[in-house]
Amino acid sequence: FPESIRAATEFLVEGFEMSPLPQIHSFGLAEGFSDQEIADSYVKDLLESALSAIGDRLKVHMDRGEMMELDPRIAAIYFISPILMS
């Protein structure tokens, strides 16, 4: 379990360091406040897909009893928030 979480964190951080993802997220968050269409697209096409993938991974650990049961989407939000806000 710890190795899986470490690998997922490293994958996300590396993706942020080696791609335009930080700029894309910054744009989606900033412009989404003033444009509902951008906000909807950002949430649907980028943020929700990331949360779904992370939630799926965390759900596997919940099913194995390696982490406490909670809504996988909420767990994914907790997991990704510090990375998005950095």
Side-chain angles (χ1 to χ4, degrees), residues 48-67:
E48 285 298 334
S49 61
L51 292 175
S52 178
I54 294 166
D56 289 348
R57 184 178 192 139
L58 296 174
K59 178 76 169 114
V60 169
H61 294 294
M62 289 178 213
D63 291 344
R64 291 179 185 164
E66 298 169 336
M67 69 182 281

Side-chain angles (χ1 to χ4, degrees), residues 6-49:
R6 186 178 305 107
T9 304
E10 289 172 359
F11 178 79
L12 286 170
V13 169
E14 193 173 291
F16 269 72
E17 291 175 347
M18 304 178 99
S19 75
L21 276 175
Q23 293 86 359
I24 293 168
H25 280 286
S26 291
F27 176 83
L29 289 168
E31 295 301 318
F33 283 113
S34 61
D35 186 314
Q36 188 62 48
E37 188 175 342
I38 290 174
D40 293 344
S41 180
Y42 168 71
V43 168
K44 177 182 161 262
D45 297 328
L46 188 64
L47 188 57
E48 285 298 334
S49 61

